[in-house]
Short mmCIF file of all heavy atoms in Angstrom, two decimals:
data_model
loop_
_atom_site.label_atom_id
_atom_site.label_comp_id
_atom_site.label_asym_id
_atom_site.label_seq_id
_atom_site.Cartn_x
_atom_site.Cartn_y
_atom_site.Cartn_z
N GLY A 879 -16.55 2.96 6.17
CA GLY A 879 -15.41 3.53 6.81
C GLY A 879 -15.30 3.22 8.28
O GLY A 879 -14.30 3.54 8.88
N LEU A 880 -16.30 2.60 8.86
CA LEU A 880 -16.21 2.29 10.29
C LEU A 880 -15.56 0.93 10.48
O LEU A 880 -15.81 -0.01 9.75
CB LEU A 880 -17.60 2.29 10.93
CG LEU A 880 -18.36 3.62 10.86
CD1 LEU A 880 -19.75 3.45 11.46
CD2 LEU A 880 -17.60 4.71 11.59
N ALA A 881 -14.72 0.83 11.47
CA ALA A 881 -14.06 -0.43 11.77
C ALA A 881 -14.23 -0.73 13.25
O ALA A 881 -14.18 0.16 14.08
CB ALA A 881 -12.58 -0.34 11.43
N SER A 882 -14.45 -2.00 13.56
CA SER A 882 -14.58 -2.40 14.95
C SER A 882 -13.18 -2.41 15.58
O SER A 882 -12.18 -2.30 14.87
CB SER A 882 -15.21 -3.79 15.04
OG SER A 882 -14.29 -4.77 14.61
N PRO A 883 -13.08 -2.57 16.90
CA PRO A 883 -11.76 -2.58 17.54
C PRO A 883 -10.82 -3.66 17.03
O PRO A 883 -9.61 -3.52 17.12
CB PRO A 883 -12.10 -2.80 19.02
CG PRO A 883 -13.47 -2.25 19.17
CD PRO A 883 -14.18 -2.57 17.88
N SER A 884 -11.37 -4.74 16.46
CA SER A 884 -10.51 -5.80 15.95
C SER A 884 -10.22 -5.66 14.46
O SER A 884 -9.60 -6.54 13.86
CB SER A 884 -11.16 -7.16 16.21
OG SER A 884 -12.36 -7.28 15.46
N GLU A 885 -10.65 -4.57 13.83
CA GLU A 885 -10.46 -4.34 12.39
C GLU A 885 -9.68 -3.05 12.16
O GLU A 885 -9.58 -2.20 13.03
CB GLU A 885 -11.81 -4.22 11.69
CG GLU A 885 -12.69 -5.44 11.81
CD GLU A 885 -14.06 -5.20 11.22
OE1 GLU A 885 -14.67 -4.15 11.50
OE2 GLU A 885 -14.53 -6.08 10.50
N PHE A 886 -9.12 -2.93 10.95
CA PHE A 886 -8.46 -1.71 10.54
C PHE A 886 -9.23 -1.10 9.38
O PHE A 886 -9.70 -1.82 8.50
CB PHE A 886 -7.02 -1.97 10.06
CG PHE A 886 -6.12 -2.44 11.15
CD1 PHE A 886 -5.66 -3.74 11.18
CD2 PHE A 886 -5.73 -1.57 12.17
CE1 PHE A 886 -4.84 -4.18 12.19
CE2 PHE A 886 -4.91 -2.01 13.18
CZ PHE A 886 -4.45 -3.31 13.19
N ARG A 887 -9.39 0.19 9.38
CA ARG A 887 -10.04 0.89 8.29
C ARG A 887 -9.00 1.15 7.21
O ARG A 887 -7.94 1.69 7.48
CB ARG A 887 -10.62 2.21 8.78
CG ARG A 887 -11.32 3.00 7.72
CD ARG A 887 -11.80 4.34 8.30
NE ARG A 887 -12.17 5.23 7.26
CZ ARG A 887 -11.34 5.99 6.56
NH1 ARG A 887 -10.05 5.96 6.81
NH2 ARG A 887 -11.77 6.79 5.63
N THR A 888 -9.30 0.74 5.98
CA THR A 888 -8.39 0.99 4.86
C THR A 888 -8.52 2.46 4.46
O THR A 888 -9.61 2.95 4.19
CB THR A 888 -8.74 0.08 3.67
OG1 THR A 888 -8.62 -1.27 4.09
CG2 THR A 888 -7.83 0.34 2.50
N GLU A 889 -7.40 3.14 4.42
CA GLU A 889 -7.39 4.54 4.03
C GLU A 889 -7.65 4.67 2.53
O GLU A 889 -7.21 3.83 1.74
CB GLU A 889 -6.03 5.17 4.34
CG GLU A 889 -5.76 5.31 5.82
CD GLU A 889 -6.68 6.31 6.49
OE1 GLU A 889 -7.05 7.34 5.87
OE2 GLU A 889 -7.06 6.06 7.64
N PRO A 890 -8.34 5.74 2.13
CA PRO A 890 -8.54 5.98 0.69
C PRO A 890 -7.20 6.24 0.00
O PRO A 890 -6.27 6.75 0.63
CB PRO A 890 -9.41 7.24 0.64
CG PRO A 890 -9.78 7.56 2.04
CD PRO A 890 -8.95 6.73 2.95
N LEU A 891 -7.10 5.89 -1.26
CA LEU A 891 -5.86 6.10 -1.99
C LEU A 891 -5.71 7.53 -2.51
O LEU A 891 -4.59 7.96 -2.80
CB LEU A 891 -5.76 5.11 -3.16
CG LEU A 891 -5.58 3.65 -2.75
CD1 LEU A 891 -5.54 2.77 -4.00
CD2 LEU A 891 -4.36 3.44 -1.90
N MET A 892 -6.81 8.25 -2.63
CA MET A 892 -6.70 9.64 -3.10
C MET A 892 -5.86 10.43 -2.09
O MET A 892 -6.06 10.33 -0.89
CB MET A 892 -8.08 10.27 -3.26
CG MET A 892 -8.90 9.62 -4.36
SD MET A 892 -8.08 9.48 -5.96
CE MET A 892 -7.90 11.16 -6.42
N GLY A 893 -4.92 11.19 -2.58
CA GLY A 893 -4.03 11.96 -1.73
C GLY A 893 -2.84 11.16 -1.24
O GLY A 893 -2.07 11.64 -0.41
N LEU A 894 -2.68 9.96 -1.76
CA LEU A 894 -1.57 9.10 -1.35
C LEU A 894 -0.22 9.79 -1.54
O LEU A 894 0.69 9.63 -0.74
CB LEU A 894 -1.62 7.80 -2.14
CG LEU A 894 -0.67 6.68 -1.71
CD1 LEU A 894 -1.02 6.20 -0.31
CD2 LEU A 894 -0.74 5.53 -2.69
N ARG A 895 -0.12 10.61 -2.57
CA ARG A 895 1.17 11.26 -2.86
C ARG A 895 1.60 12.22 -1.76
O ARG A 895 2.78 12.57 -1.66
CB ARG A 895 1.11 12.00 -4.20
CG ARG A 895 0.21 13.22 -4.21
CD ARG A 895 0.25 13.93 -5.58
NE ARG A 895 -0.69 15.00 -5.65
CZ ARG A 895 -1.92 14.90 -6.13
NH1 ARG A 895 -2.35 13.75 -6.60
NH2 ARG A 895 -2.71 15.94 -6.18
N PHE A 896 0.68 12.62 -0.90
CA PHE A 896 1.02 13.53 0.19
C PHE A 896 1.42 12.79 1.46
O PHE A 896 1.85 13.42 2.43
CB PHE A 896 -0.15 14.47 0.49
CG PHE A 896 -0.58 15.28 -0.71
CD1 PHE A 896 -1.83 15.11 -1.26
CD2 PHE A 896 0.28 16.19 -1.29
CE1 PHE A 896 -2.22 15.84 -2.37
CE2 PHE A 896 -0.09 16.94 -2.40
CZ PHE A 896 -1.36 16.76 -2.94
N SER A 897 1.28 11.48 1.47
CA SER A 897 1.59 10.69 2.67
C SER A 897 3.08 10.48 2.81
O SER A 897 3.80 10.29 1.84
CB SER A 897 0.89 9.33 2.59
OG SER A 897 -0.50 9.49 2.54
N GLU A 898 3.53 10.50 4.05
CA GLU A 898 4.93 10.25 4.35
C GLU A 898 5.12 8.92 5.08
O GLU A 898 6.21 8.36 5.08
CB GLU A 898 5.51 11.39 5.18
CG GLU A 898 5.53 12.70 4.42
CD GLU A 898 6.09 13.85 5.23
OE1 GLU A 898 6.63 13.61 6.32
OE2 GLU A 898 5.98 14.99 4.77
N THR A 899 4.06 8.46 5.73
CA THR A 899 4.09 7.15 6.37
C THR A 899 2.83 6.40 5.95
O THR A 899 1.85 7.01 5.55
CB THR A 899 4.14 7.25 7.91
OG1 THR A 899 3.01 7.98 8.37
CG2 THR A 899 5.42 7.95 8.37
N PHE A 900 2.90 5.08 6.07
CA PHE A 900 1.82 4.24 5.57
C PHE A 900 1.50 3.16 6.59
O PHE A 900 2.25 2.92 7.52
CB PHE A 900 2.23 3.60 4.24
CG PHE A 900 2.66 4.63 3.23
CD1 PHE A 900 3.97 5.04 3.15
CD2 PHE A 900 1.73 5.22 2.38
CE1 PHE A 900 4.37 6.00 2.23
CE2 PHE A 900 2.11 6.18 1.46
CZ PHE A 900 3.43 6.58 1.39
N LEU A 901 0.40 2.49 6.40
CA LEU A 901 -0.18 1.48 7.27
C LEU A 901 -0.88 2.17 8.44
O LEU A 901 -0.71 3.37 8.67
CB LEU A 901 0.84 0.46 7.76
CG LEU A 901 1.45 -0.43 6.68
CD1 LEU A 901 2.47 -1.38 7.29
CD2 LEU A 901 0.38 -1.23 5.95
N HIS A 902 -1.68 1.43 9.17
CA HIS A 902 -2.48 2.00 10.25
C HIS A 902 -1.63 2.62 11.35
O HIS A 902 -2.07 3.53 12.03
CB HIS A 902 -3.41 0.93 10.84
CG HIS A 902 -2.65 -0.15 11.52
ND1 HIS A 902 -2.07 -1.19 10.81
CD2 HIS A 902 -2.36 -0.36 12.81
CE1 HIS A 902 -1.46 -1.98 11.68
NE2 HIS A 902 -1.63 -1.52 12.89
N ASP A 903 -0.41 2.13 11.50
CA ASP A 903 0.44 2.63 12.59
C ASP A 903 1.62 3.46 12.09
O ASP A 903 2.48 3.85 12.86
CB ASP A 903 0.94 1.47 13.43
CG ASP A 903 1.70 0.43 12.63
OD1 ASP A 903 1.88 0.62 11.40
OD2 ASP A 903 2.10 -0.59 13.21
N GLY A 904 1.68 3.72 10.78
CA GLY A 904 2.73 4.56 10.22
C GLY A 904 4.10 3.92 10.16
O GLY A 904 5.09 4.61 9.95
N ARG A 905 4.19 2.61 10.31
CA ARG A 905 5.51 1.97 10.36
C ARG A 905 6.16 1.79 9.00
O ARG A 905 7.35 1.50 8.92
CB ARG A 905 5.45 0.64 11.09
CG ARG A 905 4.62 -0.40 10.41
CD ARG A 905 4.48 -1.63 11.29
NE ARG A 905 3.28 -2.34 10.91
CZ ARG A 905 3.25 -3.61 10.61
NH1 ARG A 905 4.35 -4.32 10.68
NH2 ARG A 905 2.11 -4.17 10.27
N ALA A 906 5.42 1.96 7.91
CA ALA A 906 6.01 1.87 6.57
C ALA A 906 6.33 3.27 6.09
O ALA A 906 5.56 4.19 6.25
CB ALA A 906 5.04 1.18 5.62
N THR A 907 7.50 3.42 5.49
CA THR A 907 7.92 4.74 5.01
C THR A 907 7.86 4.86 3.49
O THR A 907 8.25 5.88 2.95
CB THR A 907 9.35 5.05 5.50
OG1 THR A 907 10.23 4.01 5.07
CG2 THR A 907 9.39 5.14 7.03
N SER A 908 7.37 3.82 2.83
CA SER A 908 7.18 3.88 1.38
C SER A 908 5.98 3.02 1.01
O SER A 908 5.56 2.14 1.78
CB SER A 908 8.42 3.38 0.64
OG SER A 908 8.56 1.97 0.79
N ILE A 909 5.45 3.26 -0.16
CA ILE A 909 4.32 2.47 -0.65
C ILE A 909 4.75 1.01 -0.79
O ILE A 909 4.03 0.10 -0.37
CB ILE A 909 3.81 3.02 -1.99
CG1 ILE A 909 3.24 4.43 -1.79
CG2 ILE A 909 2.76 2.10 -2.61
CD1 ILE A 909 2.95 5.16 -3.09
N GLU A 910 5.92 0.78 -1.36
CA GLU A 910 6.38 -0.61 -1.56
C GLU A 910 6.57 -1.31 -0.21
O GLU A 910 6.20 -2.48 -0.06
CB GLU A 910 7.68 -0.63 -2.36
CG GLU A 910 8.09 -2.03 -2.74
CD GLU A 910 9.16 -2.07 -3.81
OE1 GLU A 910 9.71 -1.03 -4.17
OE2 GLU A 910 9.43 -3.18 -4.30
N GLN A 911 7.10 -0.62 0.77
CA GLN A 911 7.26 -1.23 2.09
C GLN A 911 5.90 -1.57 2.69
O GLN A 911 5.73 -2.63 3.30
CB GLN A 911 8.04 -0.30 3.02
CG GLN A 911 8.34 -0.92 4.37
CD GLN A 911 9.08 0.00 5.29
OE1 GLN A 911 8.99 1.22 5.19
NE2 GLN A 911 9.83 -0.57 6.21
N ALA A 912 4.93 -0.69 2.51
CA ALA A 912 3.58 -0.96 3.03
C ALA A 912 2.99 -2.21 2.38
O ALA A 912 2.39 -3.04 3.05
CB ALA A 912 2.68 0.25 2.79
N ILE A 913 3.17 -2.35 1.08
CA ILE A 913 2.67 -3.54 0.39
C ILE A 913 3.36 -4.79 0.94
O ILE A 913 2.72 -5.79 1.26
CB ILE A 913 2.89 -3.42 -1.13
CG1 ILE A 913 2.03 -2.29 -1.70
CG2 ILE A 913 2.59 -4.76 -1.83
CD1 ILE A 913 2.35 -1.92 -3.13
N ASN A 914 4.67 -4.71 1.10
CA ASN A 914 5.44 -5.88 1.55
C ASN A 914 5.13 -6.27 2.99
O ASN A 914 5.32 -7.43 3.36
CB ASN A 914 6.93 -5.63 1.37
CG ASN A 914 7.34 -5.65 -0.08
OD1 ASN A 914 6.78 -6.38 -0.88
ND2 ASN A 914 8.31 -4.84 -0.43
N LEU A 915 4.67 -5.36 3.80
CA LEU A 915 4.35 -5.65 5.20
C LEU A 915 2.96 -6.24 5.39
O LEU A 915 2.61 -6.67 6.49
CB LEU A 915 4.49 -4.39 6.05
CG LEU A 915 5.92 -3.93 6.31
CD1 LEU A 915 5.94 -2.56 6.97
CD2 LEU A 915 6.67 -4.94 7.15
N HIS A 916 2.17 -6.28 4.33
CA HIS A 916 0.82 -6.82 4.46
C HIS A 916 0.83 -8.34 4.61
O HIS A 916 1.57 -9.04 3.94
CB HIS A 916 -0.05 -6.43 3.25
CG HIS A 916 -0.77 -5.16 3.46
ND1 HIS A 916 -0.17 -3.94 3.29
CD2 HIS A 916 -2.03 -4.91 3.87
CE1 HIS A 916 -1.05 -3.00 3.56
NE2 HIS A 916 -2.18 -3.55 3.93
N GLY A 917 0.00 -8.80 5.50
CA GLY A 917 -0.21 -10.23 5.72
C GLY A 917 -1.70 -10.47 5.83
O GLY A 917 -2.50 -9.61 5.46
N GLY A 918 -2.08 -11.59 6.34
CA GLY A 918 -3.50 -11.88 6.53
C GLY A 918 -4.27 -11.73 5.23
O GLY A 918 -3.89 -12.30 4.21
N GLU A 919 -5.34 -10.94 5.25
CA GLU A 919 -6.17 -10.75 4.06
C GLU A 919 -5.41 -10.07 2.93
O GLU A 919 -5.77 -10.21 1.77
CB GLU A 919 -7.41 -9.93 4.41
CG GLU A 919 -8.39 -10.67 5.29
CD GLU A 919 -9.60 -9.82 5.63
OE1 GLU A 919 -9.72 -8.69 5.12
OE2 GLU A 919 -10.43 -10.30 6.41
N GLY A 920 -4.36 -9.32 3.25
CA GLY A 920 -3.58 -8.63 2.23
C GLY A 920 -2.47 -9.46 1.62
O GLY A 920 -1.79 -9.01 0.70
N ALA A 921 -2.26 -10.67 2.12
CA ALA A 921 -1.15 -11.50 1.65
C ALA A 921 -1.28 -11.84 0.16
O ALA A 921 -0.27 -11.89 -0.56
CB ALA A 921 -1.04 -12.77 2.48
N GLY A 922 -2.48 -12.06 -0.29
CA GLY A 922 -2.67 -12.38 -1.71
C GLY A 922 -2.30 -11.22 -2.61
O GLY A 922 -1.65 -11.40 -3.64
N SER A 923 -2.68 -10.02 -2.20
CA SER A 923 -2.32 -8.83 -2.98
C SER A 923 -0.81 -8.62 -2.97
O SER A 923 -0.21 -8.27 -3.98
CB SER A 923 -3.02 -7.59 -2.40
OG SER A 923 -4.41 -7.72 -2.54
N ARG A 924 -0.19 -8.85 -1.80
CA ARG A 924 1.27 -8.72 -1.70
C ARG A 924 1.94 -9.71 -2.65
O ARG A 924 2.88 -9.36 -3.37
CB ARG A 924 1.72 -8.97 -0.27
CG ARG A 924 3.24 -8.85 -0.09
CD ARG A 924 3.70 -9.29 1.27
NE ARG A 924 3.43 -10.71 1.42
CZ ARG A 924 3.05 -11.28 2.55
NH1 ARG A 924 2.85 -10.57 3.63
NH2 ARG A 924 2.84 -12.57 2.59
N ALA A 925 1.46 -10.95 -2.68
CA ALA A 925 2.04 -11.97 -3.55
C ALA A 925 1.89 -11.60 -5.02
O ALA A 925 2.82 -11.79 -5.81
CB ALA A 925 1.40 -13.33 -3.27
N ARG A 926 0.73 -11.06 -5.39
CA ARG A 926 0.53 -10.65 -6.79
C ARG A 926 1.45 -9.48 -7.14
O ARG A 926 1.99 -9.42 -8.25
CB ARG A 926 -0.93 -10.31 -7.04
CG ARG A 926 -1.81 -11.56 -7.10
CD ARG A 926 -3.24 -11.26 -7.52
NE ARG A 926 -3.98 -10.49 -6.53
CZ ARG A 926 -4.55 -11.00 -5.44
NH1 ARG A 926 -4.45 -12.29 -5.18
NH2 ARG A 926 -5.21 -10.22 -4.62
N PHE A 927 1.65 -8.55 -6.22
CA PHE A 927 2.56 -7.43 -6.45
C PHE A 927 3.98 -7.95 -6.65
O PHE A 927 4.67 -7.56 -7.58
CB PHE A 927 2.50 -6.45 -5.27
CG PHE A 927 3.50 -5.34 -5.35
CD1 PHE A 927 3.30 -4.27 -6.21
CD2 PHE A 927 4.65 -5.36 -4.58
CE1 PHE A 927 4.22 -3.23 -6.29
CE2 PHE A 927 5.57 -4.34 -4.66
CZ PHE A 927 5.36 -3.26 -5.52
N GLU A 928 4.40 -8.85 -5.78
CA GLU A 928 5.75 -9.41 -5.88
C GLU A 928 5.96 -10.21 -7.16
O GLU A 928 7.08 -10.30 -7.65
CB GLU A 928 6.07 -10.26 -4.65
CG GLU A 928 6.29 -9.44 -3.40
CD GLU A 928 7.42 -8.42 -3.54
OE1 GLU A 928 8.47 -8.76 -4.13
OE2 GLU A 928 7.24 -7.28 -3.08
N ALA A 929 4.89 -10.76 -7.72
CA ALA A 929 5.00 -11.56 -8.94
C ALA A 929 5.08 -10.71 -10.20
O ALA A 929 5.37 -11.24 -11.28
CB ALA A 929 3.81 -12.52 -9.04
N LEU A 930 4.84 -9.42 -10.09
CA LEU A 930 4.90 -8.54 -11.26
C LEU A 930 6.31 -8.46 -11.82
O LEU A 930 7.29 -8.52 -11.08
CB LEU A 930 4.43 -7.13 -10.89
CG LEU A 930 2.97 -6.93 -10.56
CD1 LEU A 930 2.74 -5.50 -10.04
CD2 LEU A 930 2.09 -7.20 -11.76
N LYS A 931 6.40 -8.28 -13.13
CA LYS A 931 7.70 -8.01 -13.75
C LYS A 931 8.18 -6.66 -13.22
O LYS A 931 7.37 -5.79 -12.87
CB LYS A 931 7.57 -7.95 -15.27
CG LYS A 931 7.17 -9.28 -15.89
CD LYS A 931 7.16 -9.20 -17.40
CE LYS A 931 5.91 -8.44 -17.81
NZ LYS A 931 5.71 -8.38 -19.25
N PRO A 932 9.48 -6.45 -13.12
CA PRO A 932 10.01 -5.20 -12.56
C PRO A 932 9.43 -3.94 -13.22
O PRO A 932 9.11 -2.97 -12.53
CB PRO A 932 11.52 -5.30 -12.79
CG PRO A 932 11.78 -6.76 -12.82
CD PRO A 932 10.55 -7.39 -13.46
N GLU A 933 9.25 -3.97 -14.54
CA GLU A 933 8.72 -2.77 -15.21
C GLU A 933 7.25 -2.54 -14.86
O GLU A 933 6.79 -1.40 -14.76
CB GLU A 933 8.93 -2.82 -16.73
CG GLU A 933 8.30 -4.01 -17.41
CD GLU A 933 9.19 -5.24 -17.53
OE1 GLU A 933 10.20 -5.36 -16.80
OE2 GLU A 933 8.87 -6.10 -18.36
N ASP A 934 6.50 -3.61 -14.65
CA ASP A 934 5.09 -3.47 -14.25
C ASP A 934 4.99 -2.98 -12.81
O ASP A 934 4.13 -2.18 -12.47
CB ASP A 934 4.34 -4.78 -14.43
CG ASP A 934 4.18 -5.17 -15.89
OD1 ASP A 934 4.22 -4.26 -16.76
OD2 ASP A 934 4.02 -6.37 -16.16
N LYS A 935 5.86 -3.49 -11.95
CA LYS A 935 5.89 -3.05 -10.56
C LYS A 935 6.24 -1.55 -10.50
O LYS A 935 5.60 -0.80 -9.78
CB LYS A 935 6.92 -3.87 -9.78
CG LYS A 935 6.86 -3.67 -8.29
CD LYS A 935 7.93 -4.46 -7.56
CE LYS A 935 7.68 -5.93 -7.64
NZ LYS A 935 8.62 -6.70 -6.77
N ALA A 936 7.21 -1.13 -11.28
CA ALA A 936 7.61 0.28 -11.31
C ALA A 936 6.46 1.15 -11.82
O ALA A 936 6.23 2.24 -11.29
CB ALA A 936 8.85 0.46 -12.17
N ALA A 937 5.75 0.68 -12.84
CA ALA A 937 4.62 1.44 -13.38
C ALA A 937 3.51 1.57 -12.34
O ALA A 937 2.91 2.64 -12.19
CB ALA A 937 4.09 0.78 -14.65
N LEU A 938 3.22 0.50 -11.63
CA LEU A 938 2.18 0.55 -10.60
C LEU A 938 2.58 1.51 -9.49
O LEU A 938 1.77 2.34 -9.05
CB LEU A 938 1.93 -0.85 -10.03
CG LEU A 938 0.93 -0.92 -8.88
CD1 LEU A 938 -0.42 -0.37 -9.28
CD2 LEU A 938 0.83 -2.35 -8.37
N LEU A 939 3.81 1.44 -9.03
CA LEU A 939 4.26 2.36 -7.97
C LEU A 939 4.23 3.80 -8.44
O LEU A 939 3.84 4.70 -7.68
CB LEU A 939 5.67 1.96 -7.50
CG LEU A 939 5.74 0.66 -6.71
CD1 LEU A 939 7.20 0.24 -6.51
CD2 LEU A 939 5.01 0.78 -5.38
N ALA A 940 4.60 4.05 -9.69
CA ALA A 940 4.54 5.41 -10.23
C ALA A 940 3.10 5.91 -10.25
O ALA A 940 2.83 7.06 -9.89
CB ALA A 940 5.15 5.45 -11.64
N PHE A 941 2.17 5.05 -10.65
CA PHE A 941 0.76 5.41 -10.65
C PHE A 941 0.28 5.76 -9.24
O PHE A 941 -0.37 6.78 -9.03
CB PHE A 941 -0.08 4.28 -11.24
CG PHE A 941 -1.55 4.46 -11.04
CD1 PHE A 941 -2.26 5.39 -11.79
CD2 PHE A 941 -2.24 3.74 -10.08
CE1 PHE A 941 -3.62 5.59 -11.59
CE2 PHE A 941 -3.59 3.91 -9.87
CZ PHE A 941 -4.28 4.85 -10.64
N LEU A 942 0.61 4.90 -8.28
CA LEU A 942 0.18 5.15 -6.91
C LEU A 942 0.75 6.45 -6.35
O LEU A 942 0.09 7.17 -5.61
CB LEU A 942 0.57 3.96 -6.02
CG LEU A 942 -0.18 2.66 -6.27
CD1 LEU A 942 0.44 1.53 -5.48
CD2 LEU A 942 -1.67 2.82 -5.97
N ARG A 943 1.97 6.78 -6.74
CA ARG A 943 2.60 8.03 -6.27
C ARG A 943 1.94 9.27 -6.87
O ARG A 943 2.18 10.38 -6.41
CB ARG A 943 4.09 8.02 -6.59
CG ARG A 943 4.88 7.08 -5.73
CD ARG A 943 6.38 7.20 -6.00
NE ARG A 943 7.07 6.05 -5.45
CZ ARG A 943 7.58 5.05 -6.17
NH1 ARG A 943 7.53 5.09 -7.50
NH2 ARG A 943 8.18 4.04 -5.60
N MET A 944 1.13 9.10 -7.92
CA MET A 944 0.44 10.23 -8.54
C MET A 944 -0.91 10.49 -7.90
O MET A 944 -1.51 11.54 -8.12
CB MET A 944 0.24 9.99 -10.04
CG MET A 944 1.52 9.98 -10.82
SD MET A 944 1.32 9.82 -12.63
CE MET A 944 -0.25 9.07 -12.87
N LEU A 945 -1.44 9.54 -7.14
CA LEU A 945 -2.78 9.69 -6.58
C LEU A 945 -2.82 10.75 -5.48
O LEU A 945 -1.90 10.97 -4.79
CB LEU A 945 -3.27 8.35 -6.01
CG LEU A 945 -3.46 7.24 -7.04
CD1 LEU A 945 -3.88 5.96 -6.33
CD2 LEU A 945 -4.52 7.61 -8.05
#
């Protein structure tokens, strides 16, 4: 859980449903927006999310909203 000044600590997903803002600086207002704003090391995950069929993307977002 410790991050150096040049790193960001990834927040745990438990309790995600209670969050109103996302990312280290709170600039995302939805889970999907947070995923879409990822670059760098997160770019691969963003690309895989974007490649999902709409029904699979909806199912994943519904799951994340339950955490």
Side-chain angles (χ1 to χ4, degrees):
L880 299 177
S882 73
S884 65
E885 300 174 314
F886 294 109
R887 180 183 166 278
T888 300
E889 291 293 325
L891 292 178
M892 294 308 294
L894 189 64
R895 69 178 174 266
F896 302 116
S897 298
E898 295 180 10
T899 59
F900 306 89
L901 295 179
H902 66 280
D903 57 3
R905 65 187 156 127
T907 57
S908 71
I909 296 169
E910 187 166 9
Q911 185 181 26
I913 294 169
N914 288 327
L915 287 171
H916 270 80
E919 291 179 4
S923 295
R924 180 189 65 216
R926 286 187 293 279
F927 174 77
E928 288 302 318
L930 291 173
K931 295 184 285 184
E933 59 269 19
D934 292 335
K935 191 182 291 188
L938 176 58
L939 290 170
F941 169 74
L942 291 172
R943 287 185 196 107
M944 292 184 337
L945 295 177

